[in-house]
Amino acid sequence: MKIIIINGPNLNLLGKREPEVYGATGFEEYFSQLQMKYKDIQLAYFQSNIEGELIDKIQEAGFSYDGIILNAAAYTHTSVGLGDAVKAVTTPVVEVHISNTFNREDFRHVSYISAGAKGVILGFGLQSYELALQSFL
Ligand code: DQA
């Protein structure tokens, strides 16, 4: 089984960025732990701060992978293009967020991703990614 985690803007700063909201662990470290735990799954990881690169990656993976785990970060709340990309591909996409976006600012209550996603997991910290992974198993 081939699963890719796609992370959007500023998630390269996990561990350093607002640790009270996003925790103290960097994503590479967390990703290594996931790879060790789920050895039978071909896990890939991609991060970009650039909207078009995220769209390119969804298109690239979206007809051959078994699942996409997408944290579009701030673009979740702004990007029609990313929402359309999620709808365009055949690979199921699970939307994840580290924080519970519904107990934060109003602008975080809107998602352009959710309508095209298979499901949404949010608010469980980095564990949100593992829960999304388990949803594909
Ligand atoms: C986030 C929530 C977004 O509102 C925010 O812009 C992020 C991270 C999360 O994982 O909690 O960058 O997607």
Side-chain angles (χ1 to χ4, degrees):
M1 177 175 273
K2 276 171 68 176
I3 306 279
I4 185 166
I5 296 174
I6 300 178
N7 270 346
N10 301 306
L11 294 174
N12 55 313
L13 295 181
L14 283 177
K16 298 180 199 147
R17 170 196 185 199
E18 297 180 87
E20 65 288 357
V21 179
Y22 299 113
T25 308
F27 198 80
E28 273 80 6
E29 186 187 333
Y30 177 73
F31 183 69
S32 302
Q33 290 167 13
L34 272 187
Q35 281 180 310
M36 303 253 280
K37 190 164 171 187
Y38 296 91
K39 288 203 172 75
D40 296 340
I41 299 172
Q42 277 185 54
L43 265 182
Y45 168 55
F46 177 79
Q47 189 277 332
S48 177
N49 294 322
I50 299 166
E51 189 175 5
E53 288 186 359
L54 295 165
I55 293 171
D56 283 347
K57 188 52 82 174
I58 290 168
Q59 290 185 7
E60 190 187 309
F63 297 92
S64 55
Y65 276 70
D66 299 298
I68 295 174
I69 296 169
L70 174 65
N71 186 349
Y75 291 141
T76 304
H77 318 300
T78 61
S79 179
V80 175
L82 271 167
D84 282 351
V86 167
K87 287 182 184 150
V89 297
T90 51
T91 298
V93 176
V94 173
E95 175 184 356
V96 307
H97 299 284
I98 297 163
S99 62
N100 178 353
T101 49
F102 290 102
N103 65 18
R104 301 182 64 195
E105 303 94 322
D106 285 354
F107 67 85
R108 294 186 206 275
H109 300 180
V110 173
S111 168
Y112 285 91
I113 308 299
S114 303
K118 185 180 175 200
V120 183
I121 297 171
L122 55 86
F124 295 96
L126 285 177
Q127 205 198 342
S128 297
Y129 291 92
E130 184 174 358
L131 294 170
L133 182 59
Q134 286 171 353
S135 77
F136 288 113
L137 304 183

